[in-house]
Amino acid sequence: MKTQRLTSLGLGLLTLTVLPLAAACGSEKDSGGSPTVGTGSGTADVTGVHWTVDDLTVDGKKSDAPASAWLKIAKNGEVNGNLGCNGFGAKATVDGDEIALGQFLSTDMACASMGFENTLTKALKDGTLTAKSTESAKNAQQLTLTTKTGDTIHLTEEKAAALYGTKWTITTLGAAGDGSGDGDSAAVSPLPSGADAYLVLDQKKGTVSGKAGCNNVSADATVSDGTITFGSPSTTRRMCDGSLMEAEKTLLGLFDGKATYKIDHRSMTLTSADGTTVSATAAD
């Protein structure tokens, strides 16, 4: 499964934003439902789905997409995602199984390899796209976008990570402030090189376990109404490099207290009452 993602899909996929059907055809009335595209046996809602771009076939040549390529069409018709290097946002109209390209905006980063992104952008700007939704053998929704010249873009639904049972790899930490007022919270920073930090919540046992940067850690954990109450941590007693131990000290600031959590697809943020902040991503 492809993981999350850098900044950018660029010009093309922006156009995949879906607007109500009324916007696509002035003579039709918006039914108030979500836009759908046809399949072999009916229709499927393409909004609210995190679509991973699998590959692109242009002039008979297939190219696999970079892991960073994805898009999501919100219920309100807003689209965002990544073309492989550059992030994007856009809007579009849907009329039956046709997606009409609209305006788009993207970032303007130069990456080591821009070939796939440039080709994808061109394909998406080739005119109206024909969309077909199917279901894979693993019950994952798949989407094929076909240009007027016959080029195809294949995408697969990527499910959001579950709170329980997922290995949440820590990516950034922010230490609690000193309670003096403005500027209490320290700047958020990535983990130092060599740090091994992750958490796994076990619903049945009511516990959390993992690594805190250097040492193993475990504690009771109770989830309720968007918060996690962490018990006193039990850790091993290994000594590591000073930067690792400092990161571990910050992460352990989550324990012996309550933290709010928020999951956005495959990313999670944890914020304790004293200001300790932790960002994590779901491991494959």
Side-chain angles (χ1 to χ4, degrees):
M1 180 175 290
K2 299 181 181 179
T3 56
Q4 285 239 168
R5 316 244 192 230
L6 309 173
T7 51
S8 37
L9 261 200
L11 306 179
L13 290 182
L14 304 175
T15 57
L16 296 182
T17 306
V18 180
L19 296 180
L21 296 181
C25 183
S27 62
E28 296 180 356
K29 295 182 180 180
D30 183 11
S31 64
S34 299
T36 59
V37 297
T39 67
S41 59
T43 59
D45 187 0
V46 299
T47 65
V49 176
H50 187 105
W51 295 105
T52 295
V53 181
D54 296 324
D55 57 62
L56 168 66
T57 301
V58 175
D59 295 330
K61 182 179 179 180
K62 180 179 176 180
S63 300
D64 291 332
S68 52
W70 65 277
L71 70 88
K72 184 176 182 179
I73 305 169
K75 295 292 185 181
N76 65 0
E78 296 297 326
V79 174
N80 60 75
N82 187 294
L83 282 165
C85 173
N86 283 283
F88 74 94
K91 293 191 178 217
T93 57
V94 172
D95 185 4
D97 62 356
E98 294 185 344
I99 298 178
L101 302 183
Q103 60 185 12
F104 60 80
L105 297 173
S106 71
T107 57
D108 192 25
M109 295 193 307
C111 298
S113 177
M114 299 290 290
F116 183 89
E117 178 166 323
N118 292 336
T119 304
L120 179 58
T121 299
K122 183 176 182 298
L124 290 168
K125 295 175 68 176
D126 195 30
T128 300
L129 298 167
T130 300
K132 181 179 180 181
S133 177
T134 57
E135 190 172 284
S136 72
K138 296 182 179 180
N139 297 320
Q141 193 176 348
Q142 295 181 313
L143 185 68
T144 300
L145 302 174
T146 304
T147 70
K148 63 182 181 181
T149 57
D151 298 331
T152 57
I153 305 163
H154 292 113
L155 309 97
T156 299
E157 173 188 16
E158 185 181 60
K159 301 288 188 180
L163 174 63
Y164 294 107
T166 297
K167 181 180 179 180
W168 292 104
T169 300
I170 310 302
T171 55
T172 63
L173 294 170
D178 59 9
S180 61
D182 292 342
D184 281 354
S185 296
V188 173
S189 59
L191 265 66
S193 176
D196 184 10
Y198 67 88
L199 298 173
V200 179
L201 287 145
D202 188 313
Q203 184 176 21
K204 185 176 180 180
K205 294 180 179 178
T207 60
V208 62
S209 61
K211 295 283 291 271
C214 173
N215 287 283
N216 297 336
V217 61
S218 61
D220 292 335
T222 303
V223 178
S224 176
D225 298 326
T227 66
I228 304 174
T229 300
F230 294 98
S232 298
S234 297
T235 66
T236 52
R237 293 290 183 261
R238 181 185 176 195
M239 293 301 296
C240 297
D241 178 79
S243 61
L244 299 185
M245 298 306 293
E246 188 63 29
E248 179 163 294
K249 179 180 177 181
T250 299
L251 179 57
L252 292 177
L254 282 177
F255 291 80
D256 268 328
K258 183 180 292 187
T260 60
Y261 75 91
K262 181 179 180 181
I263 296 177
D264 182 7
H265 192 59
R266 297 185 64 78
S267 297
M268 180 170 67
T269 57
L270 291 160
T271 306
S272 69
D274 66 3
T276 299
T277 59
V278 174
S279 296
T281 59
D284 285 340

